[in-house]
Amino acid sequence: MNFFEKFFDMISNEKVYLQNYEYYPFKQLIKKNEKNIFLSEIQNTIMSNLLLNSNGIKKIDLIKIIWPNDKDIFFNKLDTHLTNLKNYLKSESDFDLKFTSKSGLIKLVFN
């Protein structure tokens, strides 16, 4: 196994604990017990950026990260993906993703 394979193997097993779930950003996976919830690339980008920016991230910055080549900015496009992610997690499990959006800043809410 070469260096890059070892490195990827090592970081892909890193996890973040959310509620009673384990989130594996590099695997695009949220897990609880034997239940695996696989995230799309956009869903994973949203989730990881919300976690990396615990004090919140500007919606405009998140849009530019997700769609760097888009010339037009559509906040409703991001809002739709946020709602879809929240609904997807709820439908696949009892994971209740909560976030606030105030003055263009979006932030995860932890209970």
Side-chain angles (χ1 to χ4, degrees), residues 9-64:
D9 187 51
M10 185 175 70
I11 64 170
S12 67
N13 289 313
E14 287 299 312
K15 58 190 164 202
V16 176
Y17 293 96
L18 298 168
Q19 297 172 13
N20 295 320
Y21 292 83
E22 297 171 345
Y23 170 51
Y24 297 83
F26 291 96
K27 292 182 179 180
Q28 296 181 211
L29 172 68
I30 295 176
K31 185 175 186 173
K32 181 178 182 183
N33 302 324
E34 298 302 314
K35 176 69 174 173
N36 292 328
I37 305 166
F38 293 97
L39 303 177
S40 71
E41 186 175 339
I42 290 175
Q43 291 170 332
N44 195 57
T45 300
I46 290 169
M47 183 66 81
S48 62
N49 277 280
L50 288 174
L51 287 167
L52 285 171
N53 297 281
S54 59
N55 292 323
I57 184 170
K58 292 179 183 177
K59 281 186 169 186
I60 189 87
D61 293 337
L62 189 52
I63 289 169
K64 288 178 181 178

Side-chain angles (χ1 to χ4, degrees), residues 44-111:
N44 195 57
T45 300
I46 290 169
M47 183 66 81
S48 62
N49 277 280
L50 288 174
L51 287 167
L52 285 171
N53 297 281
S54 59
N55 292 323
I57 184 170
K58 292 179 183 177
K59 281 186 169 186
I60 189 87
D61 293 337
L62 189 52
I63 289 169
K64 288 178 181 178
I65 291 167
I66 298 169
W67 300 287
N69 298 322
D70 284 8
K71 293 182 190 228
D72 296 321
I73 304 291
F74 296 105
F75 289 98
N76 61 337
K77 186 175 177 181
L78 176 61
D79 291 339
T80 298
H81 280 279
L82 287 164
T83 300
N84 289 346
L85 174 58
K86 180 179 176 137
N87 292 340
Y88 172 66
L89 293 174
K90 193 69 171 170
S91 72
E92 293 294 312
S93 66
D94 61 350
F95 191 103
D96 190 17
L97 180 67
K98 293 182 181 178
F99 50 85
T100 61
S101 181
K102 185 176 181 182
S103 302
L105 192 71
I106 186 161
K107 182 179 177 181
L108 277 179
V109 176
F110 296 99
N111 294 339

